[in-house]
Amino acid sequence: MRIAITSGIRQSIMTRRFILGILFMAAVIFLSSIDAMTEAFRSEEPLAYGWHGDFILKALDADAITICLPIVCALPYAASFVDDVKTNYLKLYISRTSNRGYILGKAAGCLVSGGAVIVLGLWLAYGVSAVLFTPLEGPLEPDAEAPEYAMTLLRNCGLIFLSGGFWSLFGMTMSALMESMYIAYAAPFIFYYVLIILCERYFTSLYVVYPKAWLSPGEEWSMGRWGPALVIGELIAVTALGFGAAVRKRVRSL
């Protein structure tokens, strides 16, 4: 079982799609804040101390990030089950392991790759931002506390990781039910925006299923960051069960 899970994770992150997803996520962050970057480079006055960190945190709230998140997280591994079916690799793999091992390996790979591609993309953007803008920043004012932008981003990484993992697993589950590679990429995006539209237009108080609230929970969450973490965890569990059911049904037809 441990070998199957480790193998699934290794297959999900040691791919060209995973690397491209990280680069794409970092690029989107900068492209979504091109106006702020242009203004910073043109400014004759030094930027505020820690501006590079504030730049990344503000970029997380941009609409471009909201649009790309459910797509990027599905790129590395969400279509892997359909690939196994189309190439007949599923039959070979199942004969060498168990249904449970295969399901857990695929689910683990999907969760890790979907969450890690977003988190690593953010930290790559943070590093590039520090290199570009730190030389343009002024010194910290006397008696002023240094802003903890890096720690703020680090605290948000857990929820970002869980959210990315869920959307990736959701895409793989839907593709397993419909046996379509395109569904693996389209389903997370469609469901993501259905939830956003429902919460923003019709059920404004239903923040529990509001994807944006998962990434930056407000005071309405009585348990703080643990609230959205529990919600996403439950969604992951339900989705994983759905994926397991779809895989078992497909295996019986082999």
Side-chain angles (χ1 to χ4, degrees), residues 51 70 100 128 137 154 177 192 198 204 221 232:
W51 189 91
R100 186 177 181 184
V128 173
E137 297 174 5
L154 185 62
L177 291 171
Y192 187 90
L198 287 176
T204 55
W221 293 89
I232 302 172

Side-chain angles (χ1 to χ4, degrees), residues 81 112 132:
F81 175 76
V112 171
L132 290 176

Side-chain angles (χ1 to χ4, degrees), residues 31-202:
L31 292 175
S32 66
S33 304
I34 193 70
D35 292 338
M37 291 176 57
T38 303
E39 185 178 348
F41 283 121
R42 290 180 177 177
S43 176
E44 297 180 358
E45 299 293 329
L47 300 176
Y49 181 85
W51 189 91
H52 65 279
D54 184 56
F55 168 79
I56 297 298
L57 293 180
K58 287 181 178 178
L60 286 177
D61 295 328
D63 291 338
I65 303 299
T66 303
I67 294 173
C68 292
L69 189 145
I71 300 174
V72 175
C73 66
L75 286 177
Y77 207 59
S80 60
F81 175 76
V82 178
D83 287 339
D84 289 351
V85 173
K86 300 297 182 184
T87 59
N88 291 323
Y89 181 71
L90 175 62
K91 189 174 183 179
L92 272 173
Y93 196 100
I94 290 294
S95 65
R96 294 175 179 270
T97 183
S98 62
N99 287 355
R100 186 177 181 184
Y102 178 83
I103 292 167
L104 290 177
K106 283 294 179 183
C110 218
L111 288 171
V112 171
S113 63
V117 72
I118 304 297
V119 172
L120 292 178
L122 290 176
W123 281 107
L124 175 61
Y126 186 90
V128 173
S129 175
V131 171
L132 290 176
F133 300 115
T134 299
L136 304 179
E137 297 174 5
L140 183 65
E141 295 182 2
D143 301 326
E145 293 185 4
E148 298 182 348
Y149 295 123
M151 289 303 300
T152 301
L153 181 60
L154 185 62
R155 285 193 292 267
N156 289 339
C157 281
L159 290 176
I160 294 171
F161 183 90
L162 286 175
S163 183
F166 165 67
W167 292 116
S168 178
L169 182 60
F170 180 79
M172 187 168 68
T173 300
M174 296 305 296
S175 71
L177 291 171
M178 301 184 183
E179 293 193 10
S180 171
M181 183 181 299
Y182 302 106
I183 292 296
Y185 305 125
F189 178 81
I190 294 171
F191 187 46
Y192 187 90
Y193 268 89
V194 167
L195 290 180
I196 288 180
I197 291 171
L198 287 176
C199 293
E200 290 186 351
R201 295 187 181 180
Y202 304 105

